[in-house]
Amino acid sequence: MPDTRRLPEGFLWGASTAAHQIEGGNTNSDWWEFEHSQNPIVKEPSGDACDSYHRWREDMDLLAELGFTDYRFSIEWARIEPSPGEFSRSAIAHYRRMVEGARERGLRPMVTLHHFTNPLWFAQRGGWAAAGSDELFARFLTAAAPIYATDVAHVCTINEPNIVTVMAAAQTALASGQAVSFTENPPAPDEATTDALVRAHARAVETVKSLAPHVHTGWSIANLVCQPLPGSEDVADSFRHPRQDVFIEAARGDDWLGVQAYTRTLIGPQGRLPVPQDAERTLMGWEYYPQALGHALRHSASVSGGTPLIVTENGIATADDARRIDYTTGALDSLATTMREGIDVRGYFHWSALDNYEWGRYAPTFGLIAVDRETFARAPKPSAAWLGAIGRTRVLPTEY
Ligand code: FCB
């Protein structure tokens, strides 16, 4: 009898990180500047982060030893193009060494080209919404081609454009002195940024494919897992479209679509509802809701018209590693259910490989591997051994 828990051939099994959150010293980026300005979001600056700009070999050694077969990391535009049109050969060589280093360890690299941070000069000329941003992004990707042109099968153009567009609106609100909260009441997306990101993605796919035709391109969307109360279905549709579905629709025809899910969003007649009082919350203040992943996969499959899916992020901020295993067991169970239903899922990347800089603070620990904030010493948690082992056995905890 076939083992229906066995992962399909080629299924990606990995962990994810993002450059700014782990590298440290990303001084030429807009986030670095933001971290050193007065604002209600940043509690502490990223500083040295996990020092992964120097310790990436150690990170990859650990992931490979744990059993993972894939590693998703991002390259930092601010390092590669510190001034407009001026490219750093040493930064390009650095990321190329990472790609080769991953392969040497038996890890297949998935390379994200943009994960939230911009070069400061790009932000100062108006960010994505400014004319010609897609052109500038394409120029960067052309210069960065030596990084991904060989040995890389998957490239993610832009991470969570739907969060990028909300962050753009938040920046505008902060600049005009308005109060902004991401957890309670995030601002509505900035329309010009949305349009620009959709254009930039199309342009990036075209650029990458022209330089490296074998690469499978896609982008990763934060799935809000909107759940309307009875009677609020229309409210949920109009909430979801500009904040999520417009980006999923833009993935129709792509090689794959990245699904990122952590929790759900309850919707009532007036829109987003607070997390129920009695719900368990994670260190992000999000509701503990492992089944989010299955809902996100189903929704992504239907809105993208059946584009193959890859879970590019899923995880939990908790200080209790047993809850991480529990959460991930539930999430994988919901993933197995969707696969059994026939949804085309091609991989799973856990967020995150390391405890890292969670956009303004270090307290929400998402890592499979703990990082000492003083010495940068890495210590894999029990969840890392548990999840990594699935990469070795290729057998899921539940049937699909
Ligand atoms: C996602 C981001 C990632 C991380 C997780 C918790 O929105 O892509 O960088 O912050 O959430």
Side-chain angles (χ1 to χ4, degrees):
M1 228 179 95
D3 185 349
T4 51
R5 296 179 308 145
R6 181 158 284 281
L7 291 173
E9 196 60 40
F11 198 87
L12 312 175
W13 194 257
S16 285
T17 57
H20 186 76
Q21 294 176 271
I22 62 165
E23 286 183 343
N26 190 19
T27 56
N28 208 19
S29 67
D30 59 348
W31 254 87
W32 186 273
E33 189 190 58
F34 186 56
E35 290 165 19
H36 296 88
S37 68
Q38 282 298 321
N39 69 70
I41 292 164
V42 172
K43 305 279 176 269
E44 57 191 321
S46 54
D48 288 327
C50 306
D51 192 28
S52 288
Y53 197 76
H54 305 107
R55 294 170 197 255
W56 61 267
R57 293 176 183 83
E58 202 179 328
D59 298 341
M60 290 187 192
D61 283 345
L62 284 172
L63 292 174
E65 279 161 21
L66 288 162
F68 292 100
T69 51
D70 296 83
Y71 180 36
R72 172 177 180 241
F73 59 88
S74 73
I75 61 174
E76 189 55 56
W77 186 1
R79 291 188 195 272
I80 294 174
E81 191 177 0
S83 291
E86 200 177 307
F87 295 95
S88 161
R89 286 192 196 91
S90 116
I92 293 171
H94 168 88
Y95 291 115
R96 179 61 206 167
R97 278 196 299 277
M98 284 183 70
V99 165
E100 289 172 2
R103 285 286 176 188
E104 280 156 21
R105 291 163 176 81
L107 292 169
R108 293 173 291 199
M110 172 187 274
V111 177
T112 303
L113 305 172
H114 184 278
H115 194 124
F116 289 171
T117 43
N118 298 307
L120 189 54
W121 62 262
F122 180 83
Q124 283 170 343
R125 72 181 287 289
W128 289 106
S133 60
D134 56 335
E135 190 71 42
L136 292 170
F137 190 49
R139 183 176 71 177
F140 153 59
L141 301 185
T142 304
I147 299 168
Y148 59 79
T150 52
D151 301 317
V152 174
H154 292 89
V155 158
C156 171
T157 61
I158 300 171
N159 179 74
E160 294 188 349
N162 54 329
I163 303 299
V164 174
T165 183
V166 169
M167 289 199 293
Q171 296 281 5
T172 311
L174 286 173
S176 64
Q178 292 168 43
V180 169
S181 152
F182 273 111
T183 39
E184 302 308 322
N185 194 19
D190 179 74
E191 282 178 31
T193 304
T194 297
D195 295 347
L197 287 164
V198 170
R199 268 199 313 276
H201 170 61
R203 200 55 205 279
V205 168
E206 193 186 295
T207 307
V208 171
K209 293 241 180 239
S210 71
L211 298 164
H214 66 281
V215 167
H216 302 290
T217 47
W219 66 350
S220 293
I221 312 302
N223 202 291
L224 307 172
V225 188
C226 291
Q227 295 185 354
L229 300 184
S232 296
E233 289 79 5
D234 292 351
V235 183
D237 286 346
S238 48
F239 181 88
R240 192 162 37 209
H241 192 267
R243 290 173 179 79
Q244 172 190 300
D245 288 357
V246 62
F247 300 98
I248 300 181
E249 284 164 6
R252 282 170 180 256
D254 278 355
D255 297 326
W256 57 274
L257 165 64
V259 177
Q260 314 204 147
Y262 292 90
T263 187
R264 65 175 164 182
T265 309
L266 297 174
I267 304 284
Q270 311 305 324
R272 180 192 289 262
L273 293 172
V275 173
Q277 286 292 340
D278 54 350
E280 178 181 345
R281 284 168 179 258
T282 71
L283 290 175
M284 291 296 280
W286 298 342
E287 182 182 356
Y288 177 94
Y289 188 69
Q291 311 90 294
L293 185 58
H295 294 296
L297 288 166
R298 267 182 220 107
H299 185 78
S300 302
S302 95
V303 176
S304 71
T307 303
L309 306 177
I310 299 176
V311 178
T312 41
E313 286 184 23
N314 168 251
I316 175 174
T318 177
D320 177 356
D321 197 51
R323 293 309 279 154
R324 189 176 337 276
I325 295 181
D326 192 75
Y327 175 91
T328 310
T329 303
L332 293 178
D333 189 48
S334 73
L335 174 136
T337 306
T338 61
M339 287 169 70
R340 203 162 49 231
E341 291 165 8
I343 290 179
D344 185 1
V345 188
R346 309 263 175 107
Y348 175 88
F349 289 82
H350 193 80
W351 183 272
S352 180
L354 306 171
D355 284 343
N356 62 42
Y357 184 65
E358 180 48 42
W359 308 110
R361 56 213 168 112
Y362 279 98
T365 41
F366 278 94
L368 297 166
I369 300 170
V371 178
D372 186 295
R373 300 245 28 83
E374 301 285 321
T375 64
F376 306 110
R378 273 73 168 142
K381 303 175 189 177
S383 56
W386 169 78
L387 196 64
I390 298 172
R392 202 170 289 122
T393 61
R394 311 301 291 171
V395 170
L396 281 173
T398 43
E399 294 189 355
Y400 70 87

